[in-house]
Amino acid sequence: MTPSTTTYSDRACVDTTTGSPSNVPPGLHPTEPPPHFLQTCGGKADKATRMYAAHLKWRSDADIGTIHRRSHPHFSDIKEAYPHFIHGRSKRGMPVCYEQPGKMDLKSLFKRGLQVADMIHHLVYSTEYMTHVLRPIISSETKVPSEPLPGCIVVMDVGGIGMSQLSGDLVSYLSAAGNMQNANYPGCQKRTIIINAPFWFKGAWGGVNKFMSQEVRDAACVCGKEWMSELGKDVDLDQIPKEYGGTSPHGLKQHPYEVQLCDYVRAGNHFAAAARAKEEDKIEKDAPSKAPLRNFDAQHFMFSPTLNRWVPDEESNDFDSPARRRLRSYSFEDETLKRTEEWVEYGGNRYFDAFLLVGLMILFFLSA
């Protein structure tokens, strides 16, 4: 593959030759389809090239390369309504995500005004974070070079899932999310382990899996309560949280990977607020002290004349630096940040294949 001219820097995908934001993912080439597109297209180069070109257009139209520079005001609400956490890494150096659809309450979140586009924004934000921010961190820990491709292991705990959690908005979201994932992040979920499945789950699965791609069927495994041996094939015991029978020293929600994601979103919201304040108050490049910033704390941020914006202090890029520990303990104002720009709805749309499978299986069971 031809060497890439794109890197991830300053919370965005950047062209190294021009220094400008790029719609090409870091490590990939603008015209050569990457391996996961070729695999999805059965090795057919022409088909993969067309699919990859459509993906790059989607990234350009929706400005995906700079998604981490924009505000994510619904992050906490979505995490609460659909519990999901990054905890540890797989034996192959991929993030492991634990999802708990049995505890979800997305129906009430949609009733309070959340839009499907907001959920898509969250999904893409998280996928881009795991690919371009977290994978290099894991690579530095394991000393194994990371691939510039999306990939994760999903442990989906469906214990307690029931009919009361379904709604028309949720089903619409699941369908559109699956379309977006298939078109733009093919093969992202390297393995999906469905655990604590109720007695009817496998029967429902048998009725719907024939409609799924071979790739999805091969990656998924439905388990009841005896699932630890299956999970152990992909994840070492010290990377599994104690809540799920492992020996990880961190609680499910407290792993450094998850903590950093929360920090990253908070800092991004501050960047967006600072950019908005800069425009409104006409911040002078050579006189930052005259610029009042909303939600701003000088202990953690400083004005960069080179970048012409507020940035974290010099320590904040270190994974566990004193600045990051201060940032985690800092109490941010609890106000809703308006978007800095209107979100462009995607041309494909919406959420995880595995979550889609759960929704379809429940519908199949109800109609049986």
Side-chain angles (χ1 to χ4, degrees), residues 106-116 119 165-176 350:
L106 286 175
K107 185 161 65 173
S108 65
L109 198 58
F110 281 122
K111 286 183 178 179
R112 298 203 304 269
L114 188 81
Q115 302 297 313
V116 168
M119 291 290 292
Q165 295 160 315
L166 296 177
S167 71
D169 287 329
L170 177 58
V171 173
S172 175
Y173 163 65
L174 294 176
S175 174
R350 316 188 183 163

Side-chain angles (χ1 to χ4, degrees), residues 237-248:
L237 200 62
D238 63 355
Q239 296 295 314
I240 301 174
K242 293 180 180 178
E243 291 90 334
Y244 286 98
T247 60
S248 169

Side-chain angles (χ1 to χ4, degrees), residues 297-317:
D297 184 302
Q299 182 181 11
H300 306 302
F301 295 84
M302 62 183 182
F303 189 85
S304 169
T306 303
L307 299 175
N308 192 29
R309 66 177 182 78
W310 292 94
V311 297
D313 64 29
E314 59 184 5
E315 297 176 290
S316 66
N317 286 329

Side-chain angles (χ1 to χ4, degrees), residues 200-222:
W200 51 264
F201 203 88
K202 286 190 177 181
W205 174 267
V208 299
N209 68 1
K210 59 184 178 182
F211 299 106
M212 307 302 157
S213 67
Q214 186 64 46
E215 185 179 55
V216 172
R217 293 200 298 268
D218 292 344
C221 175
V222 181

Side-chain angles (χ1 to χ4, degrees), residues 155-160 193-202 221-231 244:
V155 180
M156 183 170 291
D157 184 354
V158 297
I193 304 171
I194 303 173
I195 67 174
N196 292 325
F199 71 93
W200 51 264
F201 203 88
K202 286 190 177 181
C221 175
V222 181
C223 307
K225 297 185 180 300
E226 303 298 326
W227 44 264
M228 180 57 79
S229 60
E230 194 66 35
L231 181 57
Y244 286 98

Side-chain angles (χ1 to χ4, degrees), residues 171 174-175 178-179 212 351-361:
V171 173
L174 294 176
S175 174
N179 292 337
M212 307 302 157
Y351 196 53
F352 287 119
D353 277 343
F355 196 12
L356 172 62
L357 296 180
V358 173
L360 291 174
M361 285 186 284

